Amino acid sequence: MTEKPILVTGGAGFIGSNFVLSWIGRKGSPVLNLDKLTYAGNLGNLAGLKNNPGHLFIKGDIGDRALVRELLDRHRPRAVVNFAAESHVDRSIHGPEDFIQTNVNGTFHLLQESRAYWEKLAGNEKNTFRFLHISTDEVYGSLGPGDAPFTESTPYAPNSPYSASKAASDHLVRAFHHTYGFPALTSNCSNNYGPYQFPEKLIPLVIMNALNRKPLPVYGDGLNVRDWLYVEDHCEALRTVLAKGKPGEVYNIGGRNERKNMDVVRAICSLLDELRPLSSTDNYASLITFIKDRPGHDRRYAIDARKIERELGWKPAESFETGIRKTVQWYLDNMNWVANVASGEYQKWLDTNYTNRGTA
Ligand code: NAD
Ligand code: DAU
């Protein structure tokens, strides 16, 4: 690699793989992709990059200090973009330990090695190096119906083991900038959806269950609100933060697409009624089933994205309506991908989370 690469962690997961694909598609600098390939990592997402000299995949853990050090010293990246994480709230409820290992300890080790590498750089290389930490709006806690959306100065109030572990990692990133002058930036984004999302998350799970004529599980009363962003809009925001963001700053990313879960599920059902109709008397919404709520379920998230819009000039391209149509169509066109990820481990997860859960 002659041009300086970027090191992407978690680049075989949902957002990471979308980021790597569009980064390389736009002729960005080469990518070193470090991913542990947990259940959520899938090299099939990156099949389009096979034999592409701009993409080097390394299977490994962000907490493996020796490996990270070796990668940094050998390839001398100009930036680290940290997507690697355990990302599913329900899994964090059933087993929080992996979340602490990767999201807290792993991020800490990655920060330590990245700082040591940065400290040895000189001149322009040192001045332009960036560490971009990808985080979530869940660190801000839960909003009431009339509350203003989260800003960058909303106090942290994480409610799940997942969001607590992400909050801890955000604090470490902040402290590394404040204490050592390390050029780190943090982005806190709302719920993403789009191609390659693992079908444990609401939108792909509902699409997949509907196509298999299985119940569409809605937690509680279905009135929890999430603020949805099409994944490519998130990737564009991250490219913008990397190029123009100020070290030490935090940027909230969201698309002003607040929707109740029930409305999201109904929107998917009506798209499927149009694109893959059942019989003339049946519709997908008849599969909707209310089940027992997620413990500690946050009621509402909403992002105030005015800072990134104003200071960096980013705006989302997709509305929820255009993005969800693209997404449903992508899953219909990529049923092989879905069949491949719905493996034995995935079936075990469905049993853990959904069997004997009872109705709401
Ligand atoms: P994902 O679960 O789909 O992918 C995570 C990836 O990280 C996987 O490829 C996995 O193999 C890898 N990974 C896990 N532990 C690792 C380790 N110790 N070392 C190296 N790789 C490891 O997650 P996602 O939905 O793509 O989320 C990516 C990031 O964005 C996460 O940090 C998440 O907190 C954040 N985020 C997600 C959303 C969302 O809606 N999905 C929204 C905002 C922020
Ligand atoms: O807000 C950003 C976060 O969005 C990210 O940080 C997380 O990594 C990502 O997983 C996502 O978290 P959520 O918990 O909001 O996403 P999930 O898809 O799991 O759930 C979305 C909503 O749908 C939530 O209110 C719970 C509900 N739900 C979820 C599932 C899986 C259901 O009603 N039924 C389900 O089967």
Side-chain angles (χ1 to χ4, degrees):
M1 293 180 180
T2 47
E3 200 185 346
K4 283 215 165 300
I6 59 169
L7 171 59
V8 172
T9 71
F14 162 48
I15 307 175
S17 62
N18 276 284
F19 180 83
V20 170
L21 289 168
S22 58
W23 179 274
I24 292 182
R26 283 158 192 269
K27 312 250 176 296
S29 46
V31 173
L32 305 166
N33 187 348
L34 173 64
D35 194 296
K36 188 177 173 183
L37 295 182
T38 66
Y39 77 92
N42 181 358
L43 285 179
N45 300 2
L46 301 161
L49 299 176
K50 206 165 171 219
N51 302 326
N52 187 319
H55 179 240
L56 178 63
F57 183 81
I58 306 103
K59 182 175 187 296
D61 194 316
I62 55 167
D64 181 343
R65 295 278 289 263
L67 172 66
V68 171
R69 188 176 318 141
E70 202 260 330
L71 282 175
L72 293 169
D73 287 344
R74 170 150 19 135
H75 297 283
R76 311 191 61 74
R78 63 182 177 85
V80 174
V81 186
N82 182 31
F83 293 95
E86 289 293 335
S87 70
H88 191 36
V89 174
D90 292 315
R91 284 188 192 253
S92 81
I93 294 167
H94 290 284
E97 191 155 348
D98 287 348
F99 289 72
I100 305 305
Q101 275 314 327
T102 286
N103 301 0
V104 186
N105 297 341
T107 303
F108 167 72
H109 291 306
L110 184 69
L111 278 167
Q112 279 285 63
E113 288 304 326
S114 302
R115 177 170 73 90
Y117 164 73
W118 167 75
E119 277 172 352
K120 286 184 282 173
L121 296 175
N124 195 41
E125 278 193 355
K126 187 164 191 173
N127 293 337
T128 56
F129 180 82
R130 297 288 181 268
F131 183 102
L132 173 54
H133 178 63
I134 317 304
S135 194
T136 170
D137 59 359
E138 300 202 9
V139 297
Y140 298 121
S142 185
L143 292 168
D147 291 342
F150 303 127
T151 69
E152 289 78 2
S153 51
T154 301
Y156 273 32
N159 290 319
S160 72
Y162 162 69
S163 53
S165 68
K166 291 296 290 186
S169 67
D170 294 6
H171 291 325
L172 285 169
V173 172
R174 175 191 154 89
F176 269 58
H177 173 75
H178 190 82
T179 306
Y180 307 112
F182 183 60
L185 305 99
T186 300
S187 61
N188 293 87
C189 188
S190 61
N191 285 61
N192 282 216
Y193 66 103
Y196 302 115
Q197 188 167 30
F198 194 78
E200 63 187 353
K201 308 280 165 64
L202 179 69
I203 287 180
L205 181 93
V206 164
I207 297 172
M208 208 179 92
N209 278 16
L211 292 172
N212 291 317
R213 317 278 192 276
K214 288 190 177 158
L216 311 181
V218 174
Y219 296 166
D221 61 7
L223 300 180
N224 299 65
V225 172
R226 296 293 183 264
D227 188 350
W228 295 94
L229 185 69
Y230 190 65
V231 64
E232 182 47 34
D233 279 327
H234 187 191
C235 293
E236 174 61 20
L238 297 175
R239 290 190 289 270
T240 306
V241 173
L242 206 50
K244 300 198 238 165
K246 204 167 143 237
E249 291 291 317
V250 171
Y251 298 92
N252 279 1
I253 304 172
R256 292 193 182 80
N257 282 307
E258 284 187 62
R259 293 287 183 286
K260 295 184 188 81
N261 291 342
M262 266 312 287
D263 294 338
V264 170
V265 175
R266 282 207 197 94
I268 296 169
C269 289
S270 37
L271 280 166
L272 286 173
D273 286 335
E274 175 195 328
L275 299 168
R276 190 61 62 86
L278 297 166
S279 70
S280 55
T281 52
D282 207 358
N283 59 43
Y284 287 96
S286 65
L287 296 167
I288 293 173
T289 307
F290 291 92
I291 63 170
K292 198 159 171 271
D293 211 352
R294 169 187 281 174
H297 196 177
D298 284 338
R299 193 61 172 169
R300 172 179 167 236
Y301 304 142
I303 278 278
D304 180 338
R306 280 179 296 178
K307 177 175 172 182
I308 185 172
E309 292 173 355
R310 188 180 59 243
E311 294 184 10
L312 307 185
W314 170 83
K315 266 201 169 26
E318 303 290 345
S319 66
F320 183 70
E321 285 63 36
T322 59
I324 194 71
R325 180 173 283 276
K326 280 188 178 179
T327 303
V328 170
Q329 190 63 58
W330 186 88
Y331 281 87
L332 288 175
D333 294 343
N334 290 276
M335 289 309 289
N336 281 347
W337 181 90
V338 174
N340 282 338
V341 297
S343 65
E345 200 283 337
Y346 177 66
Q347 294 306 323
K348 253 185 4 214
W349 165 247
L350 294 183
D351 288 346
T352 308
N353 197 46
Y354 295 98
T355 307
N356 304 325
R357 187 155 175 158
T359 48

